Amino acid sequence: MTAPRPDGARRYPYRHLLGIEGLSPDEIHFLLDRSESYVEQNRRADKKGNSLRGRTIINLFFENSTRTRTSFELAGKRLGGDVINMSVSTSSIKKGETLIDTAMTLNAMHPDVLVVRHSDSGAVRLLAEKVNCAVINGGDGSHEHPTQALLDALTIRRRRGRLDGLTVAICGDIAHSRVARSNIHLLTTMGTRVRVVAPPTLLPAQIERFGVEAFTDMRRGLAGCDIIMMLRLQTERMKGSFVPSIREYFHFFGLDRDKLAAAKPDALIMHPGPMNRGTEIDSEVADDIDRSLIQEQVEMGVAVRMACLEVLAENLPDPSLRNAP
Ligand code: NCD
């Protein structure tokens, strides 16, 4: 028998999880509440559940990943599912097979959930249209990374007890970051005040249209903030150079004790990883156990991915489900 869930009448009425854009506050709370129920299970000696027994999950990663791929694998296994990891270097994609051909081949093996990461924005949605199973976006180009935003929200909600009324500053390479985009959608939907802080070259044009306040000065942007989210420079998505030098970037935009002092005295620090110490963040603040939530984010990542896999598996097969988002 399954234990009663704290998520009541709320539900997630979609087949896929391709992005945060378009989700309602109730749908987001539903996923967070379900994730919450796994945090304790993951701290026990026996972490095994069985709600995904008989289900097959394929991790299809066209881009490098440490945290995301490992946590999806752990999440699937902890719920009793069969998990297969496909990385590009060992597949036929290297031999010229297209994204869609690969998807169709995998689809023929009847997986229940495909977790896909790809360097092109929109590639995961395209693939989702061709397969019968559920698809989770594990990050597509600079577009969305929905499970990252959910794990960030779960981390904040557990620490602060809520999301609304807080002020969160997202700092660094906003222009190329799918983490920034998914977090902006999620936090603004939940009533959080969001600021973005970056050099003008790394701020997308008209970013204010997303309901955020933009700053090009760290101390001004961090003033009075509850949460500071630092981002890596996504050099793999840059054509040419967007910052004069790493030294100068760190001087103006790297989070250190001095800039941190501009935020609230109890402000908390987050980073999705991988971190570049000395570029966007100083080790002294990254490793500060009283202020840094970076390890907790990784822990919450497993719980969130268990919830997402389970919810999508429960929804299959249900012909009445809508395809978006
Ligand atoms: C992020 C990603 O891949 O978008 N990392 C992650 O999923 N933990 C952020 C990044 O690569 O900088």
Side-chain angles (χ1 to χ4, degrees), residues 67-68 117 145 148 178-179 232 234 236-237 272-274:
R67 274 150 284 263
T68 308
R117 169 170 283 195
H145 190 354
Q148 180 69 43
R178 54 198 177 204
V179 175
R232 183 176 66 88
Q234 310 269 305
E236 70 276 26
R237 299 190 215 295

Side-chain angles (χ1 to χ4, degrees), residues 58-175:
I58 302 184
N59 278 330
L60 179 58
F61 277 62
F62 295 88
E63 250 194 8
N64 292 339
S65 169
T66 311
R67 274 150 284 263
T68 308
R69 197 194 55 71
T70 318
S71 57
F72 267 114
E73 184 176 355
L74 266 181
K77 288 182 170 164
R78 282 190 186 165
L79 292 175
D82 296 313
V83 187
I84 282 147
N85 290 310
M86 281 221 15
S87 67
V88 173
S89 54
T90 53
S91 76
S92 293
I93 296 150
K94 282 272 186 248
K95 299 178 192 162
E97 194 171 78
T98 67
L99 171 71
I100 301 304
D101 286 338
T102 306
M104 296 314 289
T105 303
L106 294 176
N107 191 49
M109 299 181 196
H110 301 294
D112 297 287
V113 187
L114 274 180
V115 181
V116 187
R117 169 170 283 195
H118 198 280
S119 57
D120 292 346
S121 303
V124 182
R125 181 174 295 273
L126 185 72
L127 185 145
E129 284 164 9
K130 308 284 177 194
V131 296
N132 305 319
C133 60
V135 175
I136 299 181
N137 182 0
D140 65 323
S142 51
H143 177 229
E144 282 235 37
H145 190 354
T147 56
Q148 180 69 43
L150 288 165
L151 76 88
D152 289 338
L154 183 65
T155 308
I156 299 172
R157 202 180 75 164
R158 284 173 60 85
R159 277 299 184 117
R160 288 287 184 251
R162 64 199 165 104
L163 293 169
D164 57 303
L166 300 173
T167 303
V168 174
I170 308 178
C171 312
D173 186 359
I174 311 293

